[in-house]
Amino acid sequence: MGGEYLYQQLEGWLLQGILDQRWKLGDRLPSIRSLCSEQKLSKATVQHALQRLEAQGLIEARPKAGYFVSLQPDGVKKPVSRARIEAPRPVSVSDLLLDIMGRSAAFDLLPDLHSGDLPPAIVALNRSIGRALRRQKGEDYQYYDKPAGFVGLREQLALHHAKRGWAVSPEQLCITSGCQHALFLALMASCERGDVVAVEAPGFYGVLQLLEQLGLRVVEVPTSMDTGMDMDALEEVLERWKVRACIVSPSFATPGGALMPEAYKKRLLALAERHDLAVIEDDIYADTALGRSPDPLKALDVDDRVILCSSFSKCLSRDLRLGWISGARWHDRILHLKLVTQLASSNYLQQGVSEYMADGSFSSHLRRQRHELRTNRDKLIASLHTWPEEVRTSIPQGGLSVWVELPGHVDTLSSYMRGLENGVIITPGPLFSVSGQFANCLRISFAHPWNASRKEALGRLPGLLLNA
Amino acid sequence: MGGEYLYQQLEGWLLQGILDQRWKLGDRLPSIRSLCSEQKLSKATVQHALQRLEAQGLIEARPKAGYFVSLQPDGVKKPVSRARIEAPRPVSVSDLLLDIMGRSAAFDLLPDLHSGDLPPAIVALNRSIGRALRRQKGEDYQYYDKPAGFVGLREQLALHHAKRGWAVSPEQLCITSGCQHALFLALMASCERGDVVAVEAPGFYGVLQLLEQLGLRVVEVPTSMDTGMDMDALEEVLERWKVRACIVSPSFATPGGALMPEAYKKRLLALAERHDLAVIEDDIYADTALGRSPDPLKALDVDDRVILCSSFSKCLSRDLRLGWISGARWHDRILHLKLVTQLASSNYLQQGVSEYMADGSFSSHLRRQRHELRTNRDKLIASLHTWPEEVRTSIPQGGLSVWVELPGHVDTLSSYMRGLENGVIITPGPLFSVSGQFANCLRISFAHPWNASRKEALGRLPGLLLNA
């Protein structure tokens, strides 16, 4: 314990207590006050240790009640399927998969539903944008914004990231048209045609399509629904093939919401240094955390090789089309690529969003949304475990979806068209890999509230999927 | 004359009269009424012939006064420099040129000036966007727009193009984040790394940078300031090298505002068919026409190989970041590339702009802007011809800038830094080519009104440029 800080000692002691079941799932941990007096520690040290455990999804804070062990609800079975390691290959996406991707981008069980009232958070956001439009002066509209984007928004983003343990300066950020655009810039800047890129399997299908269009080859690394990309498997991959870049989502990887532990992150960065990789961190789900948002991998990047990509699409609005990138040693190249492929982003829009962040609206929206997402997630998981056959699900501590593993005879791809005819959109497992795996799996989103029509659609799923 | 339509006969007769100097520069043509009675033609036929001559920049309509010959103001000397034909080469853009490009994107002589009142057209545009934001409903913000973009905006754009002789359906259009983004998608879809692309010289520097970043090679085709890309030179280039695509701006090419005659367009398309080229039409300046907007090359594209790229940046607002593309035989690939590199565009923004087009605001803005641009252009040219040494200038019938050719000893590139220190931004000639040509040339914009500070900056230019 010699070299450890006090908060690390406390964190280790609490973790051991959870592993030894001194505190079981759902148990309340000792209060901050009692930990301070028993362990002879300051309040700040105790809070820091608790927040780190919370960020790892091991405990959760309940307002005015304390911290509770949240490792894994009783009786829930977790997915067991694991990707195979196969040689790098070019990506080829079929038309059927393209169709599914187009429809699933909505992250919903139902076809587009655009009725009802706008939530107050979006009304406030739109007001901020409207004010920025009205504030335009003189010949503002005649100018292109700088490629890096509006400095006011980059300052707000830097403050936002500082809360998550990453001290970034506005100069290290570049505004993009969303996270997919950021991932595109990251790959264009760090790879050349024919290079091999390591990805999570199952992982984000948008990345696979991007690799296909850029003529990059892919190698899939088995990924757990709890801890993310498997570091032993990554090490094996890196020793067997020359890999140029690795795309990971340490904070709530899609489809299952895995959260990468601190120790894995350090091992990933050590591997990246040894094999001279670009590490592209897809951080888009970080602010959907059900507890505190975890620190990004980028916060540990002393070697300037982690490119962080993110956007407002998952935590605020998909229609903003605003994201950001921090490009590490490739940042200048990324700025240039943004200039050349798009010139600029809308200045008025960035001004509106930065005001929405500066006046506290964004933070309070995230706090409210956390509670809604937790409710949605719990209802979804409870419903899945009433199905007539064995269902295994991930237990995400963030993200917007659950990964569902059904019995081996189920073929979610062939159920897709049947679902569509019945007004239900599913996201079949094979979408999340290039090798046709995960036929008996699917992703189900809890981004939307479980209103009557969604509940009804969810109720029809077992019939659609299990009785093929 | 056998196979010709009546309007074509009249057009030919009027053109011959202008060439024979029966009507000299500035002369009024016979009125529509007298042409109808003398030539025994319908009013529609006469108007059609006159509008076609106007679109070619040969005559101009003055409200309530008739049509006037506008070929070339008296006493103006036109540029004589001509690009050399050189073998295809990779593009390499220096840091100095990148710096200049970054600053010149504003199309202004002065550093950013953002004071004063917003013009009424932009106030109206911003109101439309604000209304669209307030009209958002339910979970609109939770959905990504379709890759092709909002159908209402595509319908408005189709109507707008129909006025220019191009019957396009909304399904043939895809919304982009501006024209540069459209050019990027066009090149990604139609070319592969290492391919040769023919461009105008002098031509748009943004294209050269794009070619560099996509690993394409460039061959420059000499381009006249009156009639655009030289078709003899293009033919020679196509016979000597295997060219995959050709990027042209038939309607007011930057830097000089050249307008490609109908006969050249037909020859270009015949060459494209014979050599199996993709033709990428940069149409961004079409709506800055000082007369009627000319028909696009795309209107003549029976072989489905012209990709039209455009945006609102030059004719309405640069801060909208909205453009469009019609991808001909590559359209499906382009839709997919947009999805993969950016997912979608903002729906509320597209709704706001389509309403602005639908209620007639856009058309009336264009009408007003035409008069302003004509005034700005005339003042600029008049001022240039008072300089102490010989100055040759293009006489653009559209676009936002004049190409200026100075005596051979002038080096505009070395004047750039000196200008910057003195608060004047110039756009040196070498920017518009990859081969270091046009050292004695520069582009000067007339996009902005000649207020006191701009007039003063213009007055300092001869000192900065001529006394090096």
Side-chain angles (χ1 to χ4, degrees):
Chain A
M1 307 267 280
E4 284 194 332
Y5 289 109
L6 291 171
Y7 75 83
Q8 289 173 315
Q9 293 180 19
L10 178 63
E11 182 185 344
W13 180 76
L14 288 167
L15 177 61
Q16 198 57 52
I18 293 169
L19 294 175
D20 296 347
Q21 304 231 355
R22 190 183 332 154
W23 303 292
K24 299 194 187 63
L25 181 81
D27 280 1
R28 194 166 80 90
L29 289 187
S31 69
I32 293 178
R33 193 189 303 175
S34 68
L35 284 171
C36 287
S37 66
E38 285 166 24
Q39 308 282 329
K40 310 255 180 297
L41 295 168
S42 73
K43 191 173 168 193
T45 301
V46 171
Q47 280 178 327
H48 192 42
L50 288 168
Q51 282 165 359
R52 286 173 58 93
L53 288 169
E54 188 187 7
Q56 295 165 61
L58 297 169
I59 63 174
E60 66 184 46
R62 294 188 194 154
K64 300 192 178 124
Y67 282 89
F68 290 78
V69 179
S70 64
L71 236 193
Q72 183 175 327
D74 256 347
V76 165
K77 288 178 178 154
K78 293 207 178 179
V80 291
S81 289
R82 192 189 133 91
R84 299 177 295 272
I85 297 181
E86 296 182 358
R89 59 164 90 190
V91 183
S92 170
V93 178
S94 76
D95 287 345
L96 174 62
L97 290 190
L98 284 181
D99 182 66
I100 301 175
M101 287 172 200
R103 294 175 198 270
S104 306
F107 253 93
D108 201 350
L109 273 177
L110 297 172
D112 290 7
L113 275 186
H114 298 264
S115 56
D117 289 335
L118 213 53
I122 304 301
V123 173
L125 171 67
N126 288 351
R127 276 205 197 116
S128 288
I129 299 170
R131 273 196 299 274
L133 275 170
R134 288 193 295 280
R135 263 205 315 268
Q136 275 197 329
K137 282 204 309 275
E139 293 169 7
D140 285 357
Y141 71 101
Q142 288 269 41
Y143 291 84
Y144 296 114
D145 192 27
K146 291 185 175 36
F150 176 54
V151 67
L153 178 58
R154 289 185 283 126
E155 282 166 0
Q156 288 301 322
L157 288 170
L159 287 171
H160 186 65
H161 279 296
K163 292 183 211 154
R164 292 176 52 211
W166 177 38
V168 58
S169 77
E171 291 69 43
Q172 293 169 286
L173 294 169
C174 168
I175 304 299
T176 67
S177 300
C179 192
Q180 185 78 12
H181 185 219
L183 292 168
F184 159 73
L185 293 171
L187 285 168
M188 279 280 280
S190 63
C191 297
E192 279 164 45
R193 204 172 182 83
D195 279 349
V196 177
V197 178
V199 302
E200 294 153 336
F204 175 45
Y205 47 76
V207 159
L208 299 176
Q209 289 196 64
L210 200 41
L211 297 178
E212 179 189 29
Q213 293 302 320
L214 295 178
L216 297 162
R217 287 178 299 156
V218 68
V219 57
E220 298 190 318
V221 182
T223 295
S224 129
M225 290 299 141
D226 289 323
T227 53
M229 187 179 271
D230 181 328
M231 287 300 126
D232 289 333
L234 177 64
E235 183 160 13
E236 184 185 332
V237 161
L238 296 179
E239 272 160 17
R240 283 171 69 182
W241 298 289
K242 174 65 201 154
V243 173
R244 179 68 80 102
C246 174
I247 306 182
V248 282
S249 314
S251 303
F252 317 122
T254 207
L259 181 62
M260 190 180 276
E262 205 76 356
Y264 282 42
K265 290 184 188 172
K266 288 181 181 154
R267 189 161 162 213
L268 171 55
L269 292 180
L271 287 171
E273 190 171 353
R274 191 186 323 149
H275 294 273
D276 195 21
L277 294 189
V279 180
I280 300 172
E281 177 175 25
D282 181 348
D283 195 45
I284 194 170
Y285 290 102
D287 283 324
T288 61
L290 300 182
R292 180 179 160 273
S293 292
D295 291 357
L297 175 66
K298 179 75 188 160
L300 303 173
D301 177 32
V302 291
D303 200 30
D304 203 29
R305 59 169 75 248
V306 176
I307 306 175
L308 180 135
C309 299
S310 194
S311 92
F312 292 108
S313 291
K314 305 302 185 198
C315 63
L316 181 60
S317 158
R318 288 168 178 72
D319 203 37
L320 278 184
R321 311 309 310 127
L322 263 190
W324 58 95
I325 186 167
S326 184
R329 61 182 72 180
W330 299 272
H331 198 68
D332 285 345
R333 175 100 212 274
I334 284 167
L335 284 174
H336 185 47
L337 280 166
K338 178 177 169 199
L339 173 70
V340 162
T341 60
Q342 186 164 84
L343 283 188
S345 313
S346 286
N347 200 279
Y348 79 88
L349 176 63
Q350 298 176 74
Q351 290 188 358
V353 174
S354 65
E355 186 184 285
Y356 180 79
M357 294 182 82
D359 69 13
S361 303
F362 182 52
S363 301
S364 67
H365 159 68
L366 290 181
R367 276 194 300 275
R368 259 196 316 274
Q369 181 169 263
R370 240 155 235 192
H371 291 286
E372 288 168 17
L373 287 176
R374 180 187 292 277
T375 308
N376 297 350
R377 178 200 70 168
D378 291 347
K379 285 189 181 159
L380 171 60
I381 292 178
S383 165
L384 290 169
H385 288 284
T386 64
W387 285 18
E389 294 198 46
E390 184 179 87
V391 173
R392 295 172 170 273
T393 66
S394 68
I395 310 294
Q397 304 298 320
L400 300 174
S401 61
V402 164
W403 182 244
V404 181
E405 192 178 305
L406 300 170
H409 68 83
V410 171
D411 178 3
T412 54
L413 203 52
S414 76
S415 305
Y416 168 74
M417 283 309 296
R418 215 141 27 92
L420 212 57
E421 288 157 15
N422 286 276
V424 183
I425 300 175
I426 65 163
T427 315
L431 214 63
F432 298 89
S433 157
V434 290
S435 43
Q437 302 175 73
F438 311 114
N440 60 324
C441 301
L442 76 160
R443 182 183 78 177
I444 304 183
S445 160
F446 56 86
H448 301 270
W450 293 106
N451 60 19
S453 34
R454 282 201 186 87
K455 264 189 271 188
E456 196 269 329
L458 189 61
R460 275 186 290 149
L461 273 192
L464 280 168
L465 289 162
L466 301 175
N467 315 327
Chain B
M1 305 269 279
E4 284 193 332
Y5 289 108
L6 291 171
Y7 74 83
Q8 289 174 313
Q9 293 179 18
L10 178 62
E11 182 185 345
W13 180 76
L14 289 167
L15 177 60
Q16 199 56 52
I18 293 170
L19 294 175
D20 296 346
Q21 303 231 356
R22 189 183 332 152
W23 302 291
K24 299 193 187 64
L25 181 82
D27 279 1
R28 195 165 78 91
L29 289 187
S31 69
I32 294 178
R33 193 189 303 173
S34 68
L35 286 170
C36 288
S37 66
E38 284 166 23
Q39 308 281 330
K40 312 256 180 295
L41 294 169
S42 74
K43 190 173 168 192
T45 301
V46 171
Q47 281 178 325
H48 191 44
L50 289 167
Q51 282 164 358
R52 286 172 58 92
L53 288 169
E54 188 187 8
Q56 295 164 61
L58 297 169
I59 62 174
E60 65 184 45
R62 295 189 194 155
K64 299 191 180 128
Y67 282 89
F68 291 77
V69 179
S70 63
L71 235 193
Q72 182 175 328
D74 256 346
V76 165
K77 288 179 177 152
K78 294 206 176 178
V80 291
S81 289
R82 191 188 133 92
R84 299 177 296 271
I85 296 182
E86 295 181 358
R89 59 164 92 190
V91 183
S92 171
V93 178
S94 77
D95 287 345
L96 174 62
L97 291 190
L98 284 181
D99 182 67
I100 301 175
M101 286 172 199
R103 293 174 198 271
S104 307
F107 254 94
D108 199 350
L109 272 177
L110 297 172
D112 290 7
L113 274 186
H114 298 264
S115 56
D117 289 335
L118 214 51
I122 304 302
V123 173
L125 171 66
N126 289 350
R127 277 206 196 113
S128 288
I129 299 170
R131 274 197 298 275
L133 275 169
R134 288 193 295 279
R135 263 205 315 267
Q136 274 197 330
K137 281 203 309 274
E139 293 169 7
D140 285 357
Y141 71 101
Q142 289 270 39
Y143 292 83
Y144 296 113
D145 192 26
K146 292 185 174 35
F150 175 54
V151 67
L153 178 58
R154 289 185 282 127
E155 282 165 0
Q156 288 300 323
L157 287 169
L159 287 171
H160 186 65
H161 279 295
K163 292 183 211 155
R164 292 176 52 211
W166 177 36
V168 58
S169 76
E171 290 70 43
Q172 293 169 286
L173 294 168
C174 168
I175 304 299
T176 67
S177 302
C179 192
Q180 186 78 12
H181 185 219
L183 291 169
F184 159 72
L185 293 171
L187 285 168
M188 279 281 280
S190 62
C191 297
E192 280 163 44
R193 204 171 182 83
D195 279 348
V196 176
V197 178
V199 303
E200 293 153 337
F204 175 44
Y205 47 75
V207 160
L208 299 176
Q209 289 196 65
L210 200 40
L211 297 178
E212 179 188 30
Q213 293 302 321
L214 296 178
L216 296 163
R217 286 179 300 156
V218 69
V219 57
E220 297 190 318
V221 182
T223 295
S224 129
M225 289 299 141
D226 288 324
T227 53
M229 188 180 270
D230 180 328
M231 287 300 126
D232 289 333
L234 177 63
E235 183 160 13
E236 184 185 332
V237 160
L238 297 179
E239 273 160 17
R240 284 171 69 181
W241 298 288
K242 174 66 202 154
V243 173
R244 179 69 79 101
C246 174
I247 306 184
V248 282
S249 314
S251 303
F252 316 122
T254 206
L259 181 62
M260 191 180 275
E262 204 76 358
Y264 281 43
K265 291 185 188 171
K266 287 181 181 153
R267 190 162 161 211
L268 171 54
L269 292 180
L271 286 171
E273 188 171 356
R274 191 187 324 148
H275 293 275
D276 195 20
L277 295 188
V279 179
I280 300 173
E281 176 176 25
D282 182 347
D283 196 45
I284 193 170
Y285 289 102
D287 283 323
T288 62
L290 299 182
R292 180 180 161 272
S293 292
D295 291 357
L297 175 66
K298 179 75 188 161
L300 302 173
D301 177 30
V302 292
D303 201 30
D304 203 30
R305 59 170 74 249
V306 176
I307 306 176
L308 180 135
C309 299
S310 194
S311 91
F312 291 107
S313 291
K314 304 301 184 198
C315 63
L316 181 59
S317 160
R318 288 167 179 73
D319 203 37
L320 278 183
R321 309 311 308 129
L322 263 190
W324 57 96
I325 186 168
S326 184
R329 61 182 73 179
W330 298 273
H331 199 67
D332 285 345
R333 175 99 213 274
I334 284 168
L335 284 174
H336 184 48
L337 281 166
K338 180 179 167 197
L339 173 70
V340 162
T341 60
Q342 188 165 84
L343 283 187
S345 312
S346 286
N347 199 279
Y348 79 88
L349 176 64
Q350 299 176 72
Q351 290 187 359
V353 174
S354 65
E355 186 183 283
Y356 180 80
M357 295 182 82
D359 69 14
S361 303
F362 182 52
S363 300
S364 67
H365 159 69
L366 290 182
R367 275 194 301 275
R368 260 196 315 274
Q369 181 169 263
R370 241 155 235 193
H371 291 287
E372 289 167 16
L373 287 176
R374 180 186 293 275
T375 307
N376 297 351
R377 179 200 68 168
D378 291 348
K379 286 189 182 160
L380 171 60
I381 292 177
S383 164
L384 290 170
H385 288 283
T386 65
W387 286 18
E389 294 197 47
E390 185 180 86
V391 172
R392 296 173 170 272
T393 66
S394 67
I395 311 294
Q397 304 300 318
L400 300 175
S401 61
V402 163
W403 183 243
V404 181
E405 193 178 306
L406 299 170
H409 67 84
V410 172
D411 178 3
T412 55
L413 203 52
S414 76
S415 305
Y416 168 73
M417 283 310 296
R418 215 142 25 94
L420 213 56
E421 288 156 15
N422 286 275
V424 182
I425 300 174
I426 66 164
T427 316
L431 214 64
F432 298 89
S433 157
V434 290
S435 44
Q437 302 176 74
F438 312 114
N440 60 324
C441 301
L442 76 159
R443 182 183 77 177
I444 304 183
S445 160
F446 56 85
H448 302 268
W450 293 106
N451 60 20
S453 34
R454 281 201 187 87
K455 263 189 271 187
E456 196 268 330
L458 189 61
R460 274 185 290 149
L461 273 191
L464 280 168
L465 289 161
L466 301 175
N467 314 327

